[in-house]
Amino acid sequence: MNREGLNQELGVVEQAVAIEAVELAAIEVELADIEHCCLHGQPVPPARAYRIKVDNQYHEWPKAYITGNQLLHLAGRDGHLVFEVFESFRHGEPELISPHAEANLRKHGVEKFTTAPKLVQVTIDNKPKTIQAGTYTVSELKRVLGVDPSRVLDEVVGGEFKELPDNSTVHVKGGEIFVSHVRQGQSS
């Protein structure tokens, strides 16, 4: 890298260090409790860490921003089923936080965060059924859909019936169409 490139690189690093120094200088407290501030109508001060409530459990977070995915991880909701995160305010309706969106912990009125299963509608044997989005083994999906384990489960994709082996997995996003039927070639 030439001298000009090095000077540019150094300028970028110096700017980042200056921004971080300003942020550190603004820190007023070691730990800011956002629920306490909300309940007392106080602004959340700049802090080294923030005490947040997620699904009735308290956690400390080192930054003023947190993503929906990070909140799901704190809540232990990062498995094979899909959950949604809601930001709750003291006065007002909860707001959905998408997985990659950031919530500002210093935003006035933020009280806590809650998670809830993401429910979607699928069709099983021509009947609508609401289930939680996520990845299921076919055996689990049969149980959730109320299908007898001895029956075969097909998914209708583009008008074609695709048989789902019991040991395979299916990612349910919503709108899927499933049909169950007796196994072919079995004697009665």
Side-chain angles (χ1 to χ4, degrees):
M1 183 179 283
N2 64 20
R3 184 184 275 297
E4 186 178 316
L6 284 173
N7 284 340
Q8 263 187 325
E9 185 83 18
L10 182 60
V12 169
V13 170
E14 286 174 341
Q15 185 179 12
V17 168
I19 290 170
E20 190 165 331
V22 168
E23 288 174 355
L24 286 173
I27 290 176
E28 295 177 15
V29 297
E30 287 297 313
L31 181 66
D33 184 329
I34 68 164
E35 182 182 42
H36 175 84
C37 291
C38 176
L39 294 176
H40 292 89
Q42 302 167 341
V44 178
R48 290 201 188 283
Y50 297 85
R51 184 172 189 249
I52 60 174
K53 190 176 190 180
V54 184
D55 287 347
N56 295 317
Q57 297 290 315
Y58 291 98
H59 303 273
E60 286 186 17
W61 189 252
K63 299 175 185 171
Y65 292 88
I66 188 167
T67 67
N69 279 335
Q70 290 166 328
L71 286 160
L72 287 170
H73 181 74
L74 287 177
R77 305 284 196 181
D78 48 2
H80 69 281
L81 295 178
V82 179
F83 287 83
E84 296 178 310
V85 180
F86 295 89
E87 183 176 32
S88 298
F89 298 88
R90 179 82 172 135
H91 303 289
E93 293 294 313
E95 293 180 9
L96 178 67
I97 300 172
S98 65
H100 300 289
E102 286 187 327
N104 181 350
L105 300 179
R106 295 194 57 224
K107 184 176 177 180
H108 187 70
V110 174
E111 182 177 8
K112 62 185 174 182
F113 300 91
T114 54
T115 63
K118 181 177 183 180
L119 299 178
V120 296
Q121 191 165 30
V122 299
T123 302
I124 177 66
D125 297 331
N126 292 319
K127 296 178 192 144
K129 176 92 175 180
T130 301
I131 65 172
Q132 187 171 359
T135 303
Y136 295 86
T137 65
V138 173
S139 296
E140 290 173 323
L141 186 57
K142 285 181 183 180
R143 182 183 52 75
V144 169
L145 293 174
V147 172
D148 185 301
S150 67
R151 294 177 67 87
V152 174
L153 189 63
D154 289 351
E155 182 177 4
V156 181
V157 180
E160 306 260 335
F161 288 78
K162 176 182 155 196
E163 185 174 321
L164 302 172
D166 285 341
N167 61 353
S168 67
T169 58
V170 178
H171 186 71
V172 176
K173 296 177 183 174
E176 290 85 357
I177 300 170
F178 299 102
V179 177
S180 70
H181 57 87
V182 295
R183 295 193 186 276
Q184 300 295 322
Q186 289 185 324
S187 57
S188 2

